[in-house]
């Protein structure tokens, strides 16, 4: 079952107009919200970011927060497995002709839910590999836009190179991952790129910062270079579907001699507790 413009229908039956600006221009925004034991995780933070994305591209939010909550829970009611990843997208809607500029249209709302399968602690303890690449994206990465061509190319490159993620850098500064935020630890201090128009400030990123405090790790939201990343004590990536993953290999270089660090253990543990709250 999926949700499309007010209706819960079978995915096969769901269709939209060829004039939808989401199809023609990638003119829309989205959110990915995890659920644990049937409960929406950090819904308010996701809805707040959704509102920011909508405001940035001048689409008015079709629903109130309580309406969103109701629709998402209704859709969850159709799923079998307990942990889900909800994907919701809002496009500007369908016009009568293709033109770049827009008038006020009826937004298209689509939501689907898929099982959320996270890696076990045992698997994560082996660490993941990443590669670095120049950040070729536009200057409004704070908008969670559906136009994701650069990210699609990065994901394909990750697949072809059999790595978990691509870590991006702009002017030698690490921005974020192609679909995640990036953290590094040096001498007991956690660094991550500050929230700005050059990154999508993740809901999980905030939870990592919260968990870091609980692990007596001081957090510094300031930018760092690729060289600093390569010489870090620990490197992590985070996202709603990945949670917090320890990176043990960057390009051809090992991080922390290829071993997962102790801070990751602590932060991972704290994050698992937050999921049960
Ligand atoms: N991606 N940065 C980028 C570019 C992302 O695409 C994502 C998430 C994040 C992490 O955000 P959060 O912690 O709120 O999930 C950072 C989602 C999962 C996706 O595109 O599917």
């Amino acid at each position: 079952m999926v949700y499309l413009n007010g209706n819960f229908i079978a995915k096969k039956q769901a269709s939209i107009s060829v004039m939808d600006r989401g199809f023609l221009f990638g003119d829309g925004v989205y959110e990915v919200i995890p659920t644990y034991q049937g409960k929406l995780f950090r819904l308010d933070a996701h809805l707040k970011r959704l509102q920011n994305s909508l405001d940035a591209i001048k689409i008015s939010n079709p629903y109130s927060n309580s309406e969103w909550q109701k629709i998402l829970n209704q859709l969850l009611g159709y799923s079998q497995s307990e942990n889900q990843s909800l994907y919701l997208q809002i496009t500007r809607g369908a016009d009568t002709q293709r033109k770049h500029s827009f008038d006020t249209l009826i937004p298209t709302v689509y939501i689907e839910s898929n099982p959320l399968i996270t890696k076990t602690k045992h698997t994560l303890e082996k660490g993941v590999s990443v590669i670095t690449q120049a950040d070729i994206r536009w200057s409004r990465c704070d908008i969670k836009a559906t136009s994701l061509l650069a990210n699609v190319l990065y994901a394909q490159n990750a697949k072809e190179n059999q790595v978990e993620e691509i870590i991006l850098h702009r002017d030698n500064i690490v921005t974020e991952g192609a679909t995640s935020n990036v953290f590094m630890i040096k001498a007991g201090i956690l660094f991550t790129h500050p929230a700005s128009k050059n990154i999508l400030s993740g809901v999980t990123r905030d939870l990592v910062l919260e968990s870091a405090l609980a692990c007596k790790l001081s957090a510094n939201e300031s930018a760092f270079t690729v060289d600093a990343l390569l010489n870090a004590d620990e490197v992590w990536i985070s996202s709603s579907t990945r949670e917090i993953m320890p990176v043990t290999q960057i390009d051809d270089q090992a991080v922390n001699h290829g071993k997962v660090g102790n801070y990751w253990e602590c932060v991972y543990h704290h994050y698992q507790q937050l999921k049960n709250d």
Side-chain angles (χ1 to χ4, degrees):
M1 281 299 216
V2 299
Y3 176 90
L4 183 63
N5 298 332
N7 301 306
F8 293 92
I9 50 175
K11 202 177 200 172
K12 269 194 277 183
Q13 254 84 64
S15 62
I16 57 158
S17 164
V18 290
M19 292 311 294
D20 196 282
R21 293 181 60 98
F23 173 64
L24 292 173
F25 297 110
D27 186 358
V29 297
Y30 74 108
E31 273 298 321
V32 177
I33 309 169
T35 75
Y36 297 106
Q37 282 87 46
K39 279 196 285 182
L40 293 153
F41 189 54
R42 302 293 156 141
L43 178 65
D44 290 353
H46 283 282
L47 290 181
K48 187 163 178 252
R49 187 172 61 188
L50 179 67
Q51 187 64 55
N52 290 343
S53 297
L54 288 168
D55 289 347
I57 69 163
K58 301 180 179 170
I59 293 180
S60 65
N61 196 335
Y63 304 125
S64 67
N65 281 7
S66 58
E67 285 169 330
W68 278 115
Q69 188 166 8
K70 197 171 157 210
I71 294 166
L72 295 171
N73 278 320
Q74 260 179 290
L75 185 62
L76 281 180
Y78 292 106
S79 53
Q80 308 297 325
S81 113
E82 274 189 330
N83 297 347
Q84 295 279 307
S85 164
L86 283 161
Y87 172 83
L88 78 83
Q89 87 161 49
I90 303 166
T91 75
R92 198 177 302 281
D95 209 340
T96 48
Q97 53 166 317
R98 182 189 178 275
K99 59 177 188 330
H100 289 71
S101 63
F102 54 85
D103 303 306
T104 304
L105 301 168
I106 300 165
T108 303
V109 181
Y110 174 70
I111 317 172
E112 63 172 42
S113 186
N114 295 296
L116 173 63
I117 298 146
T118 47
K119 287 191 170 144
T120 62
K121 182 154 188 259
H122 182 67
T123 306
L124 287 174
E125 275 163 351
K126 296 185 183 99
V128 299
S129 301
V130 300
I131 51 181
T132 56
Q133 245 186 287
D135 194 340
I136 58 163
R137 302 171 304 162
W138 71 331
S139 315
R140 287 305 307 272
C141 295
D142 56 318
I143 304 170
K144 202 161 169 61
T146 56
S147 33
L148 287 169
L149 204 41
N151 310 62
V152 165
L153 296 177
Y154 289 133
Q156 188 60 19
N157 197 24
K159 185 176 154 190
E160 286 166 6
N161 283 281
Q162 293 173 302
V163 293
E164 175 67 31
E165 177 64 308
I166 308 288
I167 292 188
L168 307 174
H169 52 84
R170 209 182 272 262
D171 302 326
N172 203 35
I173 294 293
V174 174
T175 49
E176 60 178 336
T179 57
S180 63
N181 291 114
V182 178
F183 301 81
M184 72 148 206
I185 294 177
K186 192 71 189 173
I189 300 171
L190 180 71
F191 293 87
T192 194
H193 194 288
S196 80
K197 289 181 176 170
N198 283 340
I199 69 160
L200 181 80
S201 187
V203 173
T204 324
R205 176 184 177 277
D206 284 346
L207 295 172
V208 173
L209 293 171
E210 196 181 311
S211 304
L213 282 181
C215 293
K216 303 202 168 27
L217 187 55
S218 58
N220 194 344
E221 290 180 63
S222 59
F224 52 90
T225 63
V226 176
D227 203 45
L229 181 82
L230 295 172
N231 289 295
D233 299 333
E234 293 190 32
V235 174
W236 312 331
I237 55 173
S238 77
S239 79
S240 294
T241 47
R242 285 195 179 88
E243 302 184 340
I244 312 165
M245 287 187 176
V247 175
T248 46
Q249 173 127 351
I250 305 174
D251 298 331
D252 286 327
Q253 242 171 275
V255 179
N256 189 32
H257 308 288
K259 295 262 179 309
V260 167
N262 293 336
Y263 283 118
W264 175 78
E265 287 274 343
C266 180
V267 165
Y268 175 84
H269 180 70
H270 190 260
Y271 190 83
Q272 299 308 311
Q273 282 181 330
L274 290 177
K275 279 163 49 175
N276 298 326
D277 284 352

